[in-house]
Amino acid sequence: MRRPIIAGNWKMNKTAAETKELLEQLIPKVKDAKSEVVVCVPYTSLHTASQMLKNTNIGLGAQNVHWSDKGAFTGEISASMLLEMGVKYVIIGHSERRQYFGETDQTVNKRVIQALSSGLTPILCVGETEQERLSGQTDEVNRRQLTIGLQDISEEDAQKIVIAYEPVWAIGTGRTATEKDADETIGKIREMLSVMYSRDTALKIRIQYGGSMNSKNAQGLMAMPQIDGGLIGGASLKAEDFSLIIKASDSQKF
Ligand code: PGA
């Protein structure tokens, strides 16, 4: 069985002081969770979060990583910097990075390779825009993002990756994909992985849904067989909402 994984993507929210406040509320609420719980905080909150999450069941994640070990890359963060902070997971290829910061499938691939070789778990984001969906390109876009994003990644390493299917039109808009649509598209992504690797590997890789997932729609989404968790933006910024999503995951999958 694939262990569900619920990850919060805090994006550019919460100062270090606010991080402390939110985690103080969240830690006791999720301490008995059976699902894997992760928070991907801003770089400036990593130190605070890392101290607070010691000896808890919440894993620490970052929101990006550079592909080089070190060097003249102003504004970038390396895998070893993250590892020293206690980071275990890293979001790669989020649609906001693709849309606003020039992230391409090729740079996504380089980051995934670096994350894996450093021992970080990549949360690789894929998903179509509204226009791509309307013109019937959803599968094609997901296939391209997966094929290039996972280029040169061995079958063994592929099993360590978490994939987040995030239809861009559903992110931050309150327009969640229907349970059926999300499950079907994730099922197709699993088929693509099965062609790229093997059926056995495809069945092991965890695929999350992301895009306006909240405490109200989480039960229905987590009830779907292909959906192995969620990547949660807005609703991860409130301890109560995020913990309800984790409870929904626990109740549907265990
Ligand atoms: P949202 O964001 O839950 O606020 O839609 C999800 C994401 O971008 O990862």
Side-chain angles (χ1 to χ4, degrees):
M1 194 200 122
R2 297 183 296 269
R3 186 176 179 215
I5 173 166
I6 305 292
N9 173 12
W10 289 13
K11 309 191 180 186
M12 196 174 75
N13 292 294
K14 304 292 172 188
T15 65
E18 290 165 346
T19 294
K20 184 165 180 285
E21 219 173 294
L22 176 51
L23 290 179
E24 268 166 6
Q25 294 167 15
L26 185 66
I27 291 165
K29 282 191 199 297
V30 305
K31 66 177 189 345
D32 299 319
K34 299 188 188 83
S35 302
E36 202 165 315
V37 181
V38 178
V39 290
C40 299
V41 306
Y43 296 131
T44 47
S45 291
L46 285 174
H47 179 71
T48 304
S50 164
Q51 301 290 316
M52 294 187 69
L53 297 180
K54 264 184 206 143
N55 305 315
T56 73
N57 59 328
I58 306 177
L60 183 58
Q63 299 173 17
N64 203 358
V65 63
H66 197 264
W67 53 82
S68 296
D69 291 334
K70 58 174 149 177
F73 301 103
T74 303
E76 291 295 319
I77 299 280
S78 74
S80 57
M81 293 169 184
L82 296 179
L83 288 164
E84 200 179 89
M85 286 279 134
V87 170
K88 299 259 170 1
Y89 306 81
V90 61
I91 297 173
I92 297 176
H94 190 278
S95 65
E96 286 149 17
R97 303 265 1 140
R98 296 178 191 258
Q99 192 177 349
Y100 306 127
F101 302 102
E103 189 82 74
T104 65
D105 293 326
Q106 284 74 20
T107 54
V108 164
N109 178 240
K110 295 209 257 181
R111 294 183 206 277
V112 172
I113 291 172
Q114 177 73 345
L116 285 166
S117 71
S118 315
L120 291 165
T121 298
I123 301 178
L124 167 62
C125 303
V126 300
E128 81 286 358
T129 62
E130 172 131 61
Q131 212 190 335
E132 288 163 343
R133 182 178 195 83
L134 292 173
S135 56
Q137 290 174 283
T138 300
D139 294 344
E140 190 185 323
V141 169
N142 285 330
R143 185 174 293 109
R144 189 200 72 225
Q145 292 185 350
L146 277 180
T147 313
I148 305 176
L150 296 178
Q151 210 167 331
D152 297 328
I153 286 159
S154 70
E155 183 156 358
E156 192 191 337
D157 274 348
Q159 297 183 5
K160 300 175 190 155
I161 294 175
V162 175
I163 291 170
Y165 166 59
E166 299 204 305
V168 180
W169 48 271
I171 296 178
T173 58
R175 286 173 57 205
T176 324
T178 64
E179 293 151 14
K180 189 169 161 284
D181 274 358
D183 194 62
E184 258 175 39
T185 308
I186 290 179
K188 283 184 190 155
I189 289 174
R190 204 177 299 288
E191 275 167 35
M192 294 170 198
L193 292 168
S194 156
V195 172
M196 289 167 64
Y197 294 103
S198 66
R199 183 160 167 74
D200 186 48
T201 288
L203 287 174
K204 286 189 181 138
I205 297 177
R206 294 178 295 175
I207 311 178
Q208 301 171 312
Y209 168 78
S212 298
M213 192 163 169
N214 58 39
S215 56
K216 295 196 176 63
N217 57 34
Q219 285 279 356
L221 286 161
M222 290 307 298
M224 304 309 282
Q226 294 290 346
I227 302 181
D228 303 320
L231 183 58
I232 292 112
S236 71
L237 298 172
K238 294 204 181 94
E240 179 66 14
D241 288 2
F242 192 53
S243 68
L244 285 172
I245 296 172
I246 292 156
K247 285 199 176 79
S249 169
D250 281 4
S251 75
Q252 292 301 332
K253 301 292 188 190
F254 292 94

Coordinates of all heavy atoms in Angstrom, one line a residue, residues 7-11 91 94-96 125 164 166-168 170-175 209-214 230-237 245, ligand 1:
A7 N 1.2 17.4 2.1 CA 2.2 18.4 2.3 C 1.6 19.8 2.1 O 0.8 20.1 1.3 CB 3.3 18.2 1.2
G8 N 2.0 20.7 3.0 CA 1.7 22.1 3.0 C 2.7 22.8 2.2 O 3.9 22.7 2.4
N9 N 2.2 23.6 1.2 CA 3.1 24.5 0.4 C 2.8 25.9 0.9 O 1.8 26.5 0.5 CB 2.8 24.3 -1.1 CG 3.6 25.3 -1.9 OD1 4.5 26.0 -1.4 ND2 3.3 25.4 -3.2
W10 N 3.6 26.4 1.8 CA 3.3 27.7 2.4 C 3.6 28.9 1.4 O 3.2 30.0 1.7 CB 4.1 27.9 3.6 CG 3.7 27.1 4.8 CD1 2.9 26.0 4.8 CD2 4.1 27.2 6.2 NE1 2.7 25.5 6.1 CE2 3.5 26.2 6.9 CE3 5.0 28.1 6.8 CZ2 3.7 26.1 8.3 CZ3 5.2 28.0 8.2 CH2 4.5 27.0 8.9
K11 N 4.3 28.6 0.3 CA 4.6 29.6 -0.7 C 5.3 30.8 0.0 O 6.0 30.6 1.0 CB 3.3 30.1 -1.4 CG 2.6 28.9 -2.0 CD 1.5 29.2 -3.0 CE 0.8 27.9 -3.5 NZ -0.2 28.2 -4.5
I91 N 9.9 20.8 -3.0 CA 9.0 21.0 -4.1 C 9.8 21.4 -5.3 O 10.7 22.3 -5.2 CB 7.9 22.1 -3.8 CG1 7.1 21.7 -2.6 CG2 7.1 22.4 -5.0 CD1 6.1 22.8 -2.1
H94 N 7.0 23.7 -9.4 CA 5.7 24.2 -9.1 C 5.3 25.2 -10.3 O 6.1 25.9 -10.8 CB 5.7 25.0 -7.8 CG 4.3 25.3 -7.4 ND1 3.6 26.4 -7.8 CD2 3.4 24.7 -6.5 CE1 2.4 26.5 -7.3 NE2 2.3 25.4 -6.5
S95 N 4.0 25.2 -10.6 CA 3.5 26.0 -11.7 C 3.8 27.4 -11.6 O 4.0 28.2 -12.6 CB 2.0 25.7 -12.0 OG 1.3 26.3 -10.9
E96 N 3.9 27.9 -10.3 CA 4.2 29.3 -10.1 C 5.7 29.6 -10.5 O 6.0 30.7 -11.0 CB 4.0 29.8 -8.7 CG 2.5 29.9 -8.4 CD 2.0 29.6 -7.0 OE1 2.9 29.6 -6.1 OE2 0.8 29.4 -6.8
C125 N 6.0 18.7 -9.4 CA 4.7 19.2 -9.7 C 4.5 19.2 -11.3 O 5.4 19.6 -12.0 CB 4.5 20.6 -9.3 SG 4.7 20.9 -7.5
A164 N 3.2 15.6 -7.7 CA 1.9 16.3 -7.4 C 1.3 16.7 -8.7 O 1.9 17.5 -9.5 CB 2.3 17.6 -6.6
E166 N -1.1 19.0 -10.3 CA -1.7 20.3 -9.9 C -2.2 21.0 -11.2 O -1.5 21.7 -11.8 CB -0.8 21.2 -9.2 CG -0.3 20.6 -7.9 CD 0.2 21.7 -6.9 OE1 1.0 22.6 -7.3 OE2 -0.3 21.8 -5.8
P167 N -3.5 20.8 -11.5 CA -4.0 21.6 -12.7 C -3.9 23.0 -12.3 O -4.4 23.5 -11.3 CB -5.5 21.1 -12.8 CG -5.8 20.4 -11.5 CD -4.5 20.0 -10.8
V168 N -3.3 23.8 -13.2 CA -2.9 25.2 -12.9 C -4.2 26.0 -12.6 O -4.2 26.9 -11.7 CB -2.1 25.8 -14.0 CG1 -1.7 27.2 -13.7 CG2 -0.8 25.0 -14.2
A170 N -6.7 25.2 -11.1 CA -7.3 24.9 -9.8 C -6.5 25.5 -8.6 O -7.0 25.5 -7.5 CB -7.5 23.4 -9.6
I171 N -5.3 26.1 -9.0 CA -4.5 26.5 -7.9 C -4.9 27.9 -7.4 O -4.9 28.9 -8.2 CB -3.0 26.6 -8.3 CG1 -2.5 25.1 -8.6 CG2 -2.1 27.2 -7.3 CD1 -1.1 25.0 -9.1
G172 N -5.2 28.0 -6.1 CA -5.5 29.3 -5.5 C -6.8 29.9 -6.0 O -7.1 31.1 -5.8
T173 N -7.6 29.2 -6.8 CA -8.8 29.7 -7.4 C -10.1 29.3 -6.7 O -11.2 29.8 -7.0 CB -8.9 29.3 -8.9 OG1 -8.9 27.8 -8.9 CG2 -7.7 29.7 -9.7
G174 N -10.0 28.3 -5.9 CA -11.2 27.8 -5.3 C -11.9 26.8 -6.2 O -13.0 26.2 -5.8
R175 N -11.4 26.6 -7.4 CA -12.0 25.7 -8.4 C -11.3 24.4 -8.3 O -10.4 24.1 -9.1 CB -11.9 26.3 -9.8 CG -12.8 27.4 -10.1 CD -12.5 28.0 -11.4 NE -12.6 27.0 -12.5 CZ -11.9 27.1 -13.7 NH1 -11.1 28.2 -13.9 NH2 -12.1 26.2 -14.6
Y209 N -2.8 15.0 -5.3 CA -3.6 16.1 -6.0 C -3.3 17.4 -5.4 O -3.1 17.5 -4.1 CB -5.1 15.8 -5.9 CG -5.9 17.0 -6.4 CD1 -6.0 17.2 -7.8 CD2 -6.4 17.9 -5.5 CE1 -6.6 18.4 -8.2 CE2 -7.0 19.0 -5.9 CZ -7.1 19.3 -7.3 OH -7.8 20.4 -7.8
G210 N -3.2 18.5 -6.1 CA -3.1 19.8 -5.6 C -3.9 20.8 -6.4 O -4.0 20.7 -7.6
G211 N -4.5 21.8 -5.7 CA -5.3 22.8 -6.4 C -6.6 23.0 -5.6 O -7.5 22.3 -5.8
S212 N -6.6 24.0 -4.7 CA -7.8 24.4 -3.9 C -8.3 23.2 -3.1 O -9.5 23.0 -2.9 CB -8.8 25.0 -4.8 OG -8.4 26.2 -5.4
M213 N -7.4 22.3 -2.6 CA -7.8 21.3 -1.8 C -8.0 21.9 -0.4 O -7.2 22.7 0.1 CB -6.7 20.2 -1.7 CG -7.2 18.9 -1.0 SD -6.0 17.6 -1.5 CE -6.5 16.3 -0.4
N214 N -9.1 21.5 0.3 CA -9.4 22.1 1.6 C -10.1 21.1 2.5 O -10.3 20.0 2.1 CB -10.2 23.4 1.4 CG -11.5 23.2 0.7 OD1 -12.2 22.1 0.9 ND2 -11.9 24.1 -0.2
G230 N -2.1 15.1 -0.8 CA -2.4 16.4 -1.4 C -1.2 17.3 -1.2 O -0.4 17.2 -0.2
L231 N -1.1 18.3 -2.1 CA -0.2 19.4 -1.9 C -1.1 20.6 -1.7 O -1.8 21.0 -2.6 CB 0.7 19.6 -3.2 CG 1.8 20.7 -3.1 CD1 2.7 20.5 -1.8 CD2 2.7 20.7 -4.3
I232 N -1.0 21.2 -0.6 CA -2.0 22.1 -0.1 C -1.4 23.5 0.1 O -0.4 23.7 0.9 CB -2.7 21.6 1.1 CG1 -3.5 20.4 0.8 CG2 -3.6 22.7 1.7 CD1 -3.0 19.2 1.4
G233 N -1.9 24.5 -0.6 CA -1.4 25.9 -0.5 C -2.2 26.6 0.6 O -1.9 26.4 1.8
G234 N -3.2 27.4 0.2 CA -4.0 28.2 1.1 C -4.4 27.6 2.4 O -4.2 28.1 3.5
A235 N -5.0 26.4 2.3 CA -5.5 25.7 3.5 C -4.4 25.2 4.4 O -4.7 24.7 5.5 CB -6.5 24.6 3.0
S236 N -3.2 25.2 4.0 CA -2.1 24.7 4.9 C -1.6 25.9 5.8 O -0.8 25.7 6.7 CB -0.9 24.2 4.1 OG -0.2 25.2 3.5
L237 N -2.2 27.1 5.6 CA -1.7 28.2 6.4 C -2.6 28.4 7.7 O -2.3 29.3 8.5 CB -1.8 29.5 5.6 CG -0.9 29.5 4.4 CD1 -1.1 30.8 3.5 CD2 0.6 29.5 4.8
I245 N -7.6 18.2 6.9 CA -7.2 17.5 5.7 C -6.4 16.2 6.0 O -6.7 15.1 5.4 CB -6.4 18.4 4.7 CG1 -7.3 19.6 4.3 CG2 -5.9 17.7 3.5 CD1 -6.5 20.7 3.5
Ligands
PGA1 P1 -3.8 26.0 -3.3 O1 -2.3 25.8 -3.8 O2 -4.1 24.9 -2.4 O3 -3.8 27.3 -2.6 O4 -4.7 26.0 -4.5 C1 -1.8 24.5 -4.1 C2 -0.4 24.6 -4.6 O5 -0.1 25.6 -5.4 O6 0.5 23.8 -4.3

